[in-house]
Amino acid sequence: MASNQTQNPDPKFPLAVAAPAPQTTLDLELNQEFDYSKRSQWLRAAVLGANDGLVSTASLMMGVGAVKQDIKAMILTGFAGLVAGACSMAIGEFVSVYSQLDIELAQIQRDKKRAAAGVAEESSEDRESLPNPVQAAAASALAFSVGAMVPLLAASFIREYRVRIAAVVAAVSVALVVFGWLGAALGRAPVVRSSARVLVGGWLAMAVTFGLTKLIGSRGL
C-alpha cells in the first residue's frame, strides 16, 4: 500500500524544513518608525522644556540687568527663576500625566467588564504602556534646569556689566539655535526655518523684557 506522505529518497540528505519568512524591508522600516515616534515624543518634550527654561531664565536675568548692574542680583534672579520654573514644570507635568493615567486606568476597568476572555494578558500589556507621572515630572524639571543653566553659567564669572549682558545674549543665541535644530530634526521640519524661528522668538522675549523693565525702572516705579 503506497503511502500518501512524501518520502525522503536519500536518508543522508534530510529534507529541508521551511524557514519562517523573513521580515521585509517595509516591515523593518515600520517597526523602526514606530519606535522612533515613541522616542521622539519624549525627546521633543525635553527639547521644548529646555528651551522654555533657557528663554524664561535669560529674560528674567535681562530684565533685572536692565535696572541693576550688580552681578549678584542678576545671578540670584536667574537662580530663583530656575528653581521656580523647574518646580512649576514638574508639578504641572505631574498633574497632567496623573490625570491621563486616571483616564487610562478607568478605560482598562471598562474593558475588563466588557470582555471576559484574555483579560489578564490585555491588562498586563496595557499597564506596561501606562504613563509614569513621576518620570514625566522629573524629566520636565531636569530639561527646564538644563536650559536655565546656560544664561546662569554665561553670567556667573563676568564682572563687567556690558560684557556680561553680551555674554548672556551670545550664549543664549547659540543654545536657541541648537534647540531649534534638535526640535526640527525630531519633528522632521525644515532645520533652517525652525532654528531661525526659535532664535528670533528668544531674542524678542529678551528684548521685550529688557525694554519694559528699563522703562518701568526709569520712571521710579
Side-chain angles (χ1 to χ4, degrees):
M1 182 176 179
S3 174
N4 293 331
Q5 298 179 350
T6 303
Q7 296 181 354
N8 187 4
D10 191 350
K12 295 182 179 180
F13 301 96
L15 292 175
V17 179
Q23 287 185 323
T24 63
T25 305
L26 179 60
D27 293 334
L28 293 174
E29 289 179 354
L30 289 175
N31 292 336
Q32 292 176 357
E33 178 70 22
F34 178 73
D35 294 337
Y36 173 82
S37 65
K38 288 169 63 178
R39 290 194 302 268
S40 66
Q41 291 178 0
W42 281 96
L43 291 173
R44 288 195 69 192
V47 170
L48 291 175
N51 187 76
D52 191 10
L54 173 69
V55 174
S56 60
T57 304
S59 299
L60 278 172
M61 294 175 65
M62 293 294 292
V64 172
V67 294
K68 285 186 176 293
Q69 299 185 6
D70 184 17
I71 185 174
K72 183 177 180 180
M74 200 171 182
I75 296 302
L76 287 176
T77 301
F79 181 76
L82 185 154
V83 175
C87 291
S88 176
M89 292 284 289
I91 294 171
E93 193 72 13
F94 181 84
V95 172
S96 175
V97 175
Y98 214 107
S99 299
Q100 180 184 354
L101 177 62
D102 290 338
I103 293 172
E104 294 191 14
L105 287 175
Q107 182 62 42
I108 291 175
Q109 294 298 325
R110 286 192 292 268
D111 292 340
K112 284 182 179 180
K113 293 179 180 179
R114 290 199 203 104
V119 172
E121 181 179 356
E122 181 182 358
S123 176
S124 62
E125 291 179 356
D126 288 340
R127 288 183 179 276
E128 289 180 358
S129 62
L130 289 175
N132 189 331
V134 176
Q135 181 182 8
S140 190
L142 179 61
F144 186 95
S145 300
V146 169
M149 287 298 296
V150 174
L152 274 173
L153 292 176
S156 295
F157 307 103
I158 302 177
R159 293 285 178 181
E160 179 64 30
Y161 171 71
R162 295 182 181 274
V163 178
R164 185 168 67 248
I165 293 293
V168 170
V169 173
V172 170
S173 298
V174 173
L176 285 171
V177 172
V178 172
F179 290 156
W181 176 80
L182 284 175
L186 294 172
R188 295 184 177 181
V191 174
V192 176
R193 186 183 304 173
S194 177
S195 300
R197 184 166 55 244
V198 172
L199 179 61
V200 173
W203 282 349
L204 184 61
M206 289 188 293
V208 170
T209 306
F210 184 91
L212 290 179
T213 308
K214 188 76 171 179
L215 178 62
I216 294 174
S218 64
R219 292 179 179 271
L221 298 179

